[in-house]
Amino acid sequence: MSETLILSARWGKPGSAKLENYRADGGYQALDKALGMEPVAVVEEVKKSNLRGRGGAGFATGLKWTFLPKDIRPRYLTVNADESEPGTFKDRYIMEHDPHMLLEGIAITCLALDIHLAYIYIRGEFAKQARALEAAIAEARAAGIIGPRLLGKKDFALDVHVHRGAGAYICGEESALLESLEGKKGYPRLKPPFPAVVGLWGKPTIINNVETIANVPWIVQHGGEAFAALGVGKSGGTRLFGVSGHVNRPGVYEKPVAYNLKKLIMEDAGGVLGGRKLKAVIPGGSSAPVLAAHEIDISMEFDAVKAAGSMSGSGGVIVFDESACMVRALARLARFYAEESCGQCTPCREGTNWMEGMLHRIEAGHAGAADVARLEQVANSIAGNTICALGDAAAMPVQSFLKKFKPEFLAHCELRRCPCGDTAWGLTQEPRDAVAGPMRYAR
Amino acid sequence: MTNHAGGVEGLPREKVEQFDRELSRILDRYPPDRKASAMIPALRLGQTLFGYVSPAVQALAAERLGTSPARAEEVATFYVMLETHPFGKHLVEVCTSVSCSLSGGDRLWGYLQQKLALAGAGSTPDGRFTLREAECLGSCGTAPAMLVDEEMYEQLTPQKVDQILGGLK
Ligand SMILES: Cc1cc2nc3c(=O)[nH]c(=O)nc-3n(C[C@H](O)[C@H](O)[C@H](O)COP(=O)(O)O)c2cc1C
Ligand code: FES
């Protein structure tokens, strides 16, 4: 049986981002179909599909859509294209190579939810992707697919705009994203109320990840049950898994949601560099608790990874071979969270800085076992005590690295230096040939 | 309308006019009563036209968007891509986040400091380059990555870096 590719099938085809080619490949037929359906029937298909959010939390998409209050208008859609979690690099390819698929997903979602204005919030660093989206929107508008009417057939006004961020990881968090879209600094809001009830400019707002929305045309075209059948239990469809770090063939692989993590790394991504042994895997973006080598023979399905003590989060899989220093890696991650903490909540603002400083000292050999214990205490006192999940995201790597690799931390204290020295990032530190769906990137 | 051009102290009139023309296109994306939403794009536009987001640029954006300069300042200082101080002609940002460093990002950062004769982040004395580290740029599969003047370069080696910087005006 050949694999079903929903998201990556068209990547790399000449002119894949162009409207005429998208249409030649059957594009906008799902929107046409949706125009003939009752809006509730579209939402019903998405519910049946078991589509779960691809942005990190894995929340059921159809269920989220039903949280919109019945009679408040206007409502808005914001598509989360912030893609800033270290190890995550999938949405960019959808935007670059198949922007009309995302746009069709947006149009169907807006039609189903009676939304007339949508924003794609894209991280400021994605210049090429923002240009691709803007070109696609202009084409769709000129062709009468969006604008005052949908597909030139139905009086349903829809405007879609790209809003570029300016460098802030926190703006991927949905309520910070809304603040940023309102022209403010990205301070997360207290929840509840959730954005579906009080969102952009105080109005009900659905926020979904790029990959989530890009699945919607396929679901409408093939039916929710067909999508559900690609997965297991409460998770349907395929996912874009990004594999980076110490593998022979890093890149984005589209696989069924419940694909085996070990197989993904050892077979698809070509196994560990230099024939070395695997040491550790972060399975779902930098915030996901690390897994030791013997823990990776698991399904990547959301609940399965949770049962294994981690998260499949954004699907970003970071691989460390035996030559990597886990203390160096954690120190770098801690610096990321310290830099990116927005500063609103004291435990996160202060705690992430302390953790960064302590880890820097441990890595440099200037700390003792008592500092390692203190580091753990600080992580424990951030987790659960902040407005948004960035605090937890900063604490989880620290807690899990210490749980699984404590001897490495203590060895730094005893030796008074990093045992790996110059090769703390591994024995092989060079670019490698990479993959993104059907595309190949020679180094 | 009163003539605002030049009203914002020290900013050249033609550039302010250009700012206004381009801002009006940006404002098409937001409901007329939600102009303040355009703060980030307005400040980025200001940075492109005036070099950096000076207090005068902040004041200009705030005034045009009908909000307070404090709001503009809050935004200008929060986002890393908005520069509140003058910087080099070319901005080089090397990703040293985890996936890139596992593929040589940290070494590339060392190489660039050496190449530009800088110890850490900073600008070259001739004002040609500003160098700094970046957090994950969303290019982890094609690591290591860097941004040069906001364009992405991937699968980098020292040789490729030489070529890219050598090709800049
Ligand atoms: C600190 C932080 C950063 C986040 N960054 C992103 C991001 O870059 N992209 C994204 O889609 N979701 C991100 N999220 C998750 C969003 O808050 C939100 O759950 C998601 O966009 C919802 O879409 P989904 O249900 O389709 O996944 C982040 C969450 C947190 C706490
Ligand atoms: S770690 Fe450098 S691009 Fe992701």
Side-chain angles (χ1 to χ4, degrees):
Chain A
M1 212 183 82
S2 73
E3 289 179 24
T4 304
L5 296 180
I6 295 175
L7 300 155
S8 61
R10 301 183 66 255
W11 297 358
K13 283 175 95 174
S16 64
K18 286 240 164 305
L19 176 59
E20 53 173 329
N21 296 327
Y22 184 65
R23 289 197 115 153
D25 290 341
Y28 289 108
Q29 286 176 9
L31 175 58
D32 196 31
K33 184 173 175 187
L35 285 171
M37 292 166 70
E38 286 296 321
V40 286
V42 175
V43 176
E44 209 41 52
E45 287 307 317
V46 172
K47 276 197 202 157
K48 269 196 262 171
S49 75
N50 290 337
L51 172 62
R52 291 172 67 168
R54 305 305 197 223
F59 195 84
T61 305
L63 181 62
K64 185 191 273 187
W65 290 3
T66 62
F67 293 162
L68 287 167
K70 280 221 157 27
D71 21 65
I72 306 179
R73 298 290 187 284
R75 300 161 159 181
Y76 302 108
L77 174 68
T78 52
V79 176
N80 192 339
D82 198 55
E83 187 140 277
S84 304
E85 166 107 348
T88 311
F89 52 101
K90 59 186 182 71
D91 298 334
R92 56 173 293 185
Y93 293 107
I94 296 177
M95 296 187 278
E96 216 175 304
H97 296 279
D98 215 346
H100 281 288
M101 179 171 57
L102 176 61
L103 212 49
E104 185 174 10
I106 291 172
I108 296 170
T109 304
C110 289
L111 176 68
L113 302 178
D114 193 26
I115 292 172
H116 299 272
L117 181 56
Y119 289 96
I120 303 169
Y121 185 103
I122 185 169
R123 65 179 298 181
E125 293 86 349
F126 279 173
K128 193 164 39 163
Q129 290 76 9
R131 287 193 294 264
L133 287 172
E134 270 162 3
I137 291 168
E139 278 186 313
R141 183 168 256 291
I145 293 170
I146 58 172
R149 293 163 68 77
L150 277 185
L151 264 185
K153 288 186 176 172
K154 188 182 168 94
D155 279 323
F156 184 101
L158 175 61
D159 273 321
V160 182
H161 298 290
V162 176
H163 181 96
R164 295 183 66 184
Y169 166 64
I170 192 61
C171 293
E173 193 283 331
E174 56 187 14
S175 63
L177 183 154
L178 294 175
E179 288 288 300
S180 182
L181 188 47
E182 291 182 2
K184 302 179 224 164
K185 64 185 167 190
Y187 267 12
R189 299 174 181 171
L190 268 173
K191 291 183 269 188
F194 289 94
V197 180
V198 181
L200 182 61
W201 303 314
K203 297 295 179 189
T205 302
I206 290 296
I207 302 173
N208 277 125
N209 171 260
V210 168
E211 184 186 344
T212 309
I213 295 292
N215 279 301
V216 171
W218 196 95
I219 292 169
V220 167
Q221 190 74 303
H222 300 265
E225 277 164 20
F227 190 87
L230 296 168
V232 293
K234 291 243 179 304
S235 299
T238 61
R239 276 190 85 178
L240 297 174
F241 294 109
V243 188
S244 64
H246 289 156
V247 289
N248 286 309
R249 226 172 15 250
V252 175
Y253 296 89
E254 180 172 358
K255 297 289 170 192
V257 270
Y259 201 69
N260 181 278
L261 175 59
K262 188 172 184 180
K263 193 167 175 212
L264 179 70
I265 295 168
M266 295 304 178
E267 295 176 25
D268 298 287
V272 179
L273 270 188
R276 281 185 288 277
K277 276 209 207 108
L278 180 71
K279 184 189 270 188
V281 176
I282 298 177
S286 62
S287 311
V290 68
L291 298 172
H294 67 274
E295 297 174 303
I296 68 159
D297 195 1
I298 55 169
S299 154
M300 276 298 275
E301 193 278 321
F302 294 98
D303 300 327
V305 182
K306 196 168 170 200
S310 186
M311 303 182 334
S312 74
S314 63
V317 175
I318 310 174
V319 178
F320 301 86
D321 76 27
E322 58 184 335
S323 65
C325 170
M326 298 310 281
V327 181
R328 173 70 63 91
L330 185 62
R332 185 65 188 82
L333 281 177
R335 191 169 125 205
F336 170 78
Y337 291 103
E339 299 256 336
E340 300 298 335
S341 170
C342 75
Q344 186 175 203
C345 309
T346 310
C348 177
R349 181 185 64 241
E350 303 300 325
T352 52
N353 277 313
W354 290 344
M355 294 198 301
E356 182 199 358
M358 290 162 123
L359 276 158
H360 184 74
R361 285 195 299 280
I362 297 170
E363 165 66 0
H366 299 154
D371 297 292
V372 176
R374 203 166 302 129
L375 174 63
E376 199 157 8
Q377 282 166 11
V378 174
N380 293 342
S381 54
I382 300 173
N385 291 321
T386 56
I387 289 177
C388 87
L390 191 141
D392 301 326
M396 285 186 292
V398 174
Q399 292 165 323
S400 62
F401 273 60
L402 285 176
K403 187 166 159 205
K404 292 175 186 172
F405 300 99
K406 195 171 267 168
E408 283 194 38
F409 291 80
L410 297 176
H412 283 69
C413 300
E414 274 157 33
L415 284 172
R416 306 226 137 254
R417 64 175 169 82
C418 174
C420 305
D422 272 358
T423 58
W425 287 112
L427 287 173
T428 312
Q429 296 177 34
E430 276 145 29
R432 359 231 192 247
D433 292 345
V435 167
M439 301 185 291
R440 301 287 172 267
Y441 292 92
R443 89 196 97 154
Chain B
M1 273 270 299
T2 49
N3 180 14
H4 287 293
V8 186
E9 238 171 285
L11 297 176
R13 174 184 290 262
E14 336 69 84
K15 288 225 170 137
V16 172
E17 283 166 3
Q18 192 182 348
F19 179 89
D20 286 336
R21 276 195 306 277
E22 294 187 25
L23 183 64
S24 78
R25 277 199 295 275
I26 290 172
L27 285 174
D28 287 344
R29 298 182 219 148
Y30 308 92
D33 57 338
R34 304 293 182 187
K35 278 203 271 189
S37 273
M39 185 56 82
I40 290 176
L43 293 177
R44 284 188 74 166
L45 173 63
Q47 179 163 312
T48 308
L49 293 176
F50 301 103
Y52 70 103
V53 188
S54 62
V57 172
Q58 294 166 27
L60 173 67
E63 198 270 336
R64 298 301 197 259
L65 300 181
T67 182
S68 67
R71 171 71 74 80
E73 188 190 3
E74 152 194 323
V75 171
T77 51
F78 188 81
Y79 297 92
V80 298
M81 294 179 76
L82 297 173
E83 306 288 340
T84 50
H85 297 282
F87 59 103
K89 182 165 180 225
H90 298 293
L91 181 59
V92 180
E93 299 167 278
V94 194
C95 179
T96 59
S97 255
V98 171
S99 299
C100 277
S101 285
L102 292 170
S103 305
D106 196 36
R107 284 191 178 162
L108 211 57
W109 164 239
Y111 176 75
L112 270 152
Q113 290 173 70
Q114 201 185 15
K115 183 175 165 76
L116 300 176
L118 290 167
S123 299
T124 54
D126 62 1
R128 210 169 132 67
F129 290 104
T130 293
L131 176 69
R132 65 175 175 222
E133 285 177 87
E135 291 298 349
C136 179
L137 295 171
S139 301
C140 328
T142 45
M146 69 175 178
L147 288 176
V148 179
D149 300 334
E150 300 189 0
E151 291 296 327
M152 192 87 69
Y153 297 89
E154 298 159 60
Q155 290 178 307
L156 294 168
T157 56
Q159 295 77 1
K160 272 203 205 170
V161 166
D162 287 347
Q163 263 173 26
I164 293 160
L165 297 196
L168 294 172
K169 285 205 200 86

